Amino acid sequence: MPGLAFAAPLVLAALIALPAIWWLLRITPPQPAREAFPPFRLLLLLKRQEETPATTPWWLLALRMLIAGLLVLALAGPVYDPNAHLGATSGSLAVIVDNSWASATDFDKRRATAENLIRRAGESDAPVSLTFTADRNPDATFKRADEALSALAAARPAPLPADRSAAAAALVASFGQEKPARAVLIADGVAAPGDTAFFTALRDAGLSGLDVIGGDNPAAIAVTGAENAADRLTVSAARLQTSAAQTVAISARDMQGRVLGATTIAFDAGQAKATGEITAPFELRNEFARLTVDGLDTAGAVRLLDDSFKRRSVGLISGEAGDRSQPLLSPLYYINRALSPFANLSEANGSDLVAAIPAMIKARPSVIVMADIGRMPATAEKALADWIRDGGSLVRFAGPRLAAAPADDPLIPTRLREGERALGGSMSWAEPLPLDDYPENSPFAGLTPPEDVLVKRQVLAEPTPELAGLTWASLKDGTPLVTARRIGAGRIVLFHVSAESSWSNLPLSGEFVEMLRRIVQLSHSSNTARSEDGKAVLPPYRLLTAEGTLTTEKGLAKPIEAGNAITPSFDSPPGLYGGEDGFEAVNLFSSDAILAPIAYPQDFSVVKSGFVGDNAFDLKLWLFAAAALLALGDTLAMLILGGAFARRAATAAIFALAVIGGLAGGVDPARADDVRPGDDVLMSRLDKTHLAYVITGEAEVDRISERGLAGLSDFLYYRTTLEPGDPVGVDIAKDELSVFPILYWPVSASAQMPSENAISRIDAYMRSGGTVLFDTRDQATSITAMGGVSANTERLRAILARIDIPPLEPVPQDHVLTKAFYLLKSYPGRYSGSPLWVEAQPDARSDPNRPARSGDGVTPIMITGNDFAGAWAIDNMGAPLLPLVPPDETQREMAYRTGVNIMMYMLTGNYKADQVHVPALLERLGQ
């Protein structure tokens, strides 16, 4: 049968034994029938002179032969593959394989399909041409099948698009030696610029048809752009298949791969490009290193973010020292306040520019801001000019010194008129002017100029033909307010007003902050090397593989010029270029890229199909099931022939009626609940007290939870009389929770949100006396969050929003937790500083009629951010897994004691609150 294959064809040799089985079954008599009174039966048989031996009936013999045949076929592993006919060929064969980025997710299938084609060609000794469209030097020469298979085994996908024009040139050269009888394209489905040349080469070889395998590629989804705005990051993506609506999840990760933000991009039916937004604080977005499409491991599904998304280093130089008692008059005061939220600032050490400027450049800042500096020493001026050409950004502010400086200063973007223009006052007819709309070429485009910002004094630019192209902002009368010019890989920006409020109230506005933020975001790191011709170059730092991972393998990649738009190629593949202190990203796609399907010529006969193995149907289980059913029929037949049902006809009838009634009426739901799946597991957990943790679905988080509770169990075993069993991970949506006194829940924002049913079961567990310890593990990040809320805390809020929790308070000084076993004043984990929140208990004197709680006064909820499991976690040798923050082993001991007190509090309730314990506690306190 075409398309039918066997995983173990040698097993079919067992079919030879079927005649022997038939002979054995034929001579085997059936089971003798039983009679109620054998003596009378024997007397009746005495009259017979001839006897015929009983044999197995022919139909039962055929049934058993069929069962044996089905078992042999099942053991041979039959598989029906509708695409197995693709390997059939006669004559020479040309196989073209797209090993581009879009083939990475299923490259093993592509390799297996090409291997099947080549092996079938080798069976008829046909020559084979094997070409890869994403190789540096494609080779299409015809060779033996075994040589082609060796080349195929060594092939790997490349993090680049398919270059079918280069493959076409190789095909033309090989077709001059041998004309292929058949051509097969194992395609990634994405159109390439060289497709026309590719099809022309096939047409010139005399081919009018082409077999295309794998052209429908749902994994061809690419992140094409990322725009970091003032309050959000906009992500754009493109896809190949547009027939149906689709939603993809995008994650923003740091350099260690941790998820810091997420969004979804929704494609409508017929839509090839769409966008999504990640709203996060600017400080958090500074840590984004790459954007990835969840579930897709390709280079196109990754967008690398370089230093343009990072926090900048900014150097500040002022023309005057300023009065510390009057900071509002200092030229750097407003600049410092505007830049400090999103940049690392450093001021010049001393007022000697000859020493201060080279020293600041040596610290490798991205931006240098100079407030009212006119004349500069020649050595400092040259050092600044070289730094700018290497990629630095110089931002200058006007003032009395700059207004009095020579107009031909080389470190300003445009020539200035000497002196300054005053607006308003007794010596001027003009009134202070507001800002005009920003031009489209300005980085400030999109902002709305505030009407209350007025300029009273400024330096004027000489009118030149290029002045309009250099202007980023201007006043209502058209005079430039901010001008800029690119020099080499860097730029010079000039504010035509002072950095303090004497010339304008711009430094007092929020517009001033946004202007400086955008200018700083345009800058690049100065972590560059120099080539021999003096150009700034960046060496390969981390390169992107076809599977979307960063690797230190450089291969044949060459350095790139800093600040230039780079098209990915074999010399400059996608990745990061630079060094650890700063780098630029080369991404696979530009922001306007689209993924279009391959346009096949109309004069080509194109036959499309799937990979070998796609839609394959495994017949083994079905053959085993058929053999089992026939074996059951054989058993019933033997029972009938043996008379097993002769005396039990009534019982059989009743049984049949009961079965029919059960099938017709269904199973009583009330009786179905009497037996619950997993009761054996439940009974095995009742022998000892087990510490339990909630399974989040994240492997590393669950591993730390399990090892943390294992470490606490060991500590309890050696320090107390409690001998807990092994920790247990529970699925809150299915497992029985009532057998555990406490559940440790490590909250993770990247884990799947629990369902409403799971949260309802947690609510019921807490109401019935159980306790849940929520650990957001974000104390370290919350310290640097500048008052923000971490993603884990946001997830915890979402969970608790659907639970009826009591009022909470930090553990008070007289709480039972402070004295359940050890005397404690704080409750650290891997971190310290986060309070341990418990249920707020009303005072008995103020509320004598308060209702009694189940659980003997034990709080149903605890919340911390100190990462208890991280402090408790141990490896198989008993050594700690994770370091503490700060690294203090005394803190780890206190974390273990906190765990002991929590467990004793869970198991014994509030008995330590009784007055009988007061003398012993006072004695331990030394009172």
Side-chain angles (χ1 to χ4, degrees):
M1 179 187 293
L4 183 62
F6 293 90
L10 293 179
V11 178
L12 295 176
L15 293 175
I16 302 175
L18 287 181
I21 297 175
W22 171 81
W23 181 75
L24 290 174
L25 293 176
R26 184 174 179 274
I27 66 174
T28 302
Q31 181 180 0
R34 295 183 179 182
E35 297 293 338
F37 298 99
F40 294 108
R41 186 64 178 175
L42 292 175
L43 291 175
L44 294 174
L45 294 176
L46 287 177
K47 298 179 180 180
R48 304 181 112 185
Q49 301 298 325
E50 296 182 359
E51 294 182 356
T52 301
T55 59
T56 303
W58 68 268
W59 56 269
L60 187 58
L61 180 62
L63 177 64
R64 291 176 178 177
M65 293 290 290
L66 180 59
I67 293 173
L70 290 176
L71 290 176
V72 172
L73 291 175
L75 292 175
V79 176
Y80 177 72
D81 186 358
N83 295 323
H85 68 283
L86 297 175
T89 184
S90 60
S92 58
L93 174 67
V95 180
I96 304 99
V97 180
D98 283 343
N99 59 328
S100 64
W101 66 270
S103 68
T105 56
D106 52 5
F107 191 73
D108 290 339
K109 287 185 177 181
R110 298 172 185 272
R111 193 201 310 273
T113 301
E115 181 179 355
N116 180 65
L117 291 168
I118 296 172
R119 288 189 184 278
R120 293 292 183 90
E123 293 174 357
S124 58
D125 294 329
V128 177
S129 169
L130 178 63
T131 312
F132 295 98
T133 61
D135 280 4
R136 181 184 288 267
N137 297 307
D139 180 15
T141 58
F142 282 87
K143 54 181 72 72
R144 298 194 314 269
D146 58 343
E147 295 176 342
L149 289 175
S150 299
L152 179 64
R156 296 291 183 272
L160 294 168
D163 186 2
R164 300 190 186 94
S165 60
L171 290 170
V172 170
S174 66
F175 290 170
Q177 305 171 356
E178 176 97 21
K179 296 294 184 181
R182 180 189 179 196
V184 179
L185 172 63
I186 303 179
D188 63 8
V190 182
D195 287 351
T196 301
F198 172 74
F199 291 116
T200 300
L202 296 180
R203 188 183 294 107
D204 293 342
L207 292 172
S208 60
L210 178 67
D211 292 334
V212 178
I213 301 175
D216 297 331
N217 191 354
I221 299 176
V223 182
T224 57
E227 182 179 352
N228 201 4
D231 56 348
R232 63 179 55 87
L233 178 66
T234 302
V235 185
S236 57
R239 63 172 179 165
L240 178 64
Q241 292 188 353
T242 61
S243 57
Q246 186 179 9
T247 300
V248 297
I250 305 292
S251 295
R253 303 175 182 269
D254 61 8
M255 287 298 293
Q256 288 72 38
R258 295 172 296 192
V259 177
L260 302 182
T263 186
T264 57
I265 295 181
F267 293 91
D268 295 333
Q271 187 179 15
K273 295 196 68 175
T275 60
E277 295 180 348
I278 300 178
T279 303
F282 185 82
E283 293 78 11
L284 184 61
R285 282 183 282 134
N286 275 340
E287 301 299 323
F288 292 175
R290 61 183 184 270
L291 304 170
T292 60
V293 178
D294 293 350
L296 284 183
D297 296 329
T298 66
V302 176
R303 186 78 180 182
L304 299 175
L305 307 179
D306 56 18
D307 286 353
S308 62
F309 289 83
K310 307 299 180 183
R311 188 178 180 92
R312 299 294 187 274
S313 175
V314 179
L316 304 178
I317 303 177
S318 174
E320 62 179 69
D323 188 355
R324 292 184 179 274
S325 62
Q326 296 180 332
L328 298 181
L329 301 179
S330 171
L332 298 181
Y333 175 79
Y334 298 100
I335 299 175
N336 200 314
R337 295 292 297 274
L339 292 177
S340 58
F342 54 86
N344 296 326
L345 306 179
S346 61
E347 295 191 21
N349 187 11
S351 58
D352 184 4
L353 298 182
V354 175
I357 289 179
M360 180 168 288
I361 292 175
K362 189 176 180 180
R364 310 178 74 85
S366 300
V367 181
I368 293 179
V369 180
M370 298 173 56
D372 191 22
I373 292 182
R375 296 177 176 87
M376 282 185 288
T379 56
E381 189 175 275
K382 183 179 183 305
L384 274 176
D386 293 341
W387 173 77
I388 294 170
R389 281 192 292 271
D390 287 345
S393 295
L394 176 64
V395 180
R396 302 188 65 177
F397 284 86
R401 291 177 177 79
L402 184 62
D408 57 351
D409 189 340
L411 295 183
I412 57 175
T414 183
R415 184 179 179 86
L416 299 178
R417 293 183 181 181
E418 294 187 3
E420 59 197 53
R421 179 178 77 155
L423 301 173
S426 59
M427 301 301 294
S428 174
W429 293 98
E431 295 294 330
L433 293 174
L435 276 64
D436 199 2
D437 293 336
Y438 301 115
E440 293 183 358
N441 66 331
S442 170
F444 312 142
L447 298 177
T448 302
E451 297 179 357
D452 56 347
V453 172
L454 300 176
V455 175
K456 299 181 293 184
R457 191 178 298 270
Q458 69 170 146
V459 292
L460 291 174
E462 289 285 355
T464 61
E466 62 177 355
L467 182 60
L470 302 178
T471 302
W472 282 2
S474 59
L475 301 181
K476 282 292 186 181
D477 64 352
T479 57
L481 177 66
V482 181
T483 55
R485 179 188 295 272
R486 290 197 65 90
I487 299 181
R491 61 169 52 86
I492 299 175
V493 181
L494 173 64
F495 281 76
H496 291 239
V497 294
S498 64
E500 31 77 32
S501 58
S502 61
W503 285 28
S504 73
N505 62 347
L506 176 64
L508 303 177
S509 67
E511 195 79 357
F512 185 68
V513 177
E514 185 61 22
M515 283 181 167
L516 288 180
R517 189 193 71 81
R518 295 197 175 196
I519 292 174
V520 170
Q521 283 299 105
L522 292 174
S523 65
H524 294 275
S525 171
S526 59
N527 183 31
T528 60
R530 283 178 178 270
S531 60
E532 294 181 358
D533 57 1
K535 294 183 179 180
V537 294
L538 297 171
Y541 174 52
R542 297 284 190 273
L543 296 183
L544 198 65
T545 66
E547 292 77 15
T549 59
L550 288 173
T551 178
T552 57
E553 295 292 334
K554 308 300 190 303
L556 300 178
K558 299 178 181 179
I560 64 173
E561 292 188 12
N564 291 346
I566 303 297
T567 300
S569 64
F570 291 103
D571 292 332
S572 54
L576 303 176
Y577 292 78
E580 186 175 354
D581 296 330
F583 44 77
E584 289 188 13
V586 174
N587 285 295
L588 192 57
F589 295 101
S590 61
S591 58
D592 58 348
I594 60 173
L595 301 181
I598 299 175
Y600 299 100
Q602 294 183 355
D603 58 346
F604 255 66
S605 175
V606 177
V607 178
K608 296 183 179 181
S609 57
F611 299 117
V612 170
D614 282 359
N615 302 319
F617 188 69
D618 191 352
L619 301 175
K620 179 190 294 185
L621 294 179
W622 291 97
L623 292 176
F624 273 127
L629 290 176
L630 293 178
L632 179 60
D634 177 82
T635 302
L636 293 175
M638 289 299 298
L639 292 175
I640 293 173
L641 291 177
F645 299 114
R647 302 178 192 176
R648 299 179 177 85
T651 304
I654 295 174
F655 177 79
L657 290 175
V659 170
I660 295 173
L663 292 176
V667 180
D668 185 2
R671 296 182 58 84
D673 291 339
D674 293 341
V675 180
R676 300 180 58 181
D679 285 350
D680 54 338
V681 178
L682 180 62
M683 294 300 295
S684 67
R685 295 174 179 173
L686 296 177
D687 57 339
K688 291 184 178 181
T689 299
H690 294 267
L691 279 65
Y693 63 93
V694 174
I695 298 175
T696 63
E698 296 187 338
E700 182 62 17
V701 175
D702 295 339
R703 184 180 75 90
I704 295 301
S705 298
E706 190 273 335
R707 298 313 305 162
L709 295 189
L712 180 59
S713 297
D714 289 349
F715 192 91
L716 287 165
Y717 181 87
Y718 290 110
R719 297 291 184 93
T720 70
T721 58
L722 178 62
E723 298 181 1
D726 294 333
V728 176
V730 297
D731 185 348
I732 59 176
K734 298 185 297 184
D735 292 340
E736 179 58 45
L737 307 179
S738 61
V739 297
F740 305 108
I742 185 171
L743 292 180
Y744 177 80
W745 191 333
V747 181
S748 176
S750 56
Q752 185 177 2
M753 183 68 182
S755 64
E756 183 176 357
N757 178 58
I759 293 180
S760 177
R761 296 183 82 242
I762 285 293
D763 190 16
Y765 168 75
M766 294 167 61
R767 291 177 184 274
S768 61
T771 298
V772 181
L773 172 55
F774 293 95
D775 195 341
T776 58
R777 305 170 292 120
D778 58 358
Q779 172 62 18
T781 57
S782 63
I783 294 176
T784 59
M786 301 182 66
V789 177
S790 70
N792 289 355
T793 300
E794 289 289 352
R795 173 55 61 86
L796 177 60
R797 290 180 176 177
I799 293 173
L800 296 183
R802 291 184 279 177
I803 299 178
D804 185 15
I805 63 172
L808 303 178
E809 66 177 356
V811 175
Q813 295 180 356
D814 59 343
H815 198 275
V816 176
L817 272 173
T818 64
K819 51 195 173 184
F821 192 88
Y822 293 103
L823 296 178
L824 299 178
K825 294 183 179 180
S826 61
Y827 310 91
R830 189 180 176 206
Y831 315 111
S832 61
S834 174
L836 179 60
W837 295 85
V838 296
E839 179 184 7
Q841 294 291 340
D843 190 356
R845 292 170 296 180
S846 62
D847 188 12
N849 298 321
R850 72 188 191 282
R853 280 192 68 250
S854 62
D856 200 16
V858 176
T859 177
I861 183 173
M862 296 184 184
I863 301 176
T864 184
N866 285 335
D867 192 5
F868 284 164
W872 300 335
I874 59 174
D875 59 16
N876 294 331
M877 302 299 294
L881 277 180
L882 301 177
L884 300 181
V885 181
D888 182 11
E889 287 305 311
T890 302
Q891 179 176 322
R892 195 182 300 277
E893 172 67 19
M894 298 308 296
Y896 276 122
R897 293 189 176 189
T898 297
V900 171
N901 273 27
I902 290 175
M903 283 305 301
M904 292 304 169
Y905 174 56
M906 292 300 101
L907 298 175
T908 61
N910 60 0
Y911 87 105
K912 274 293 183 71
D914 298 340
Q915 293 297 317
V916 69
H917 298 284
V918 171
L921 294 174
L922 292 177
E923 181 180 354
R924 290 175 61 185
L925 291 171
Q927 301 179 8

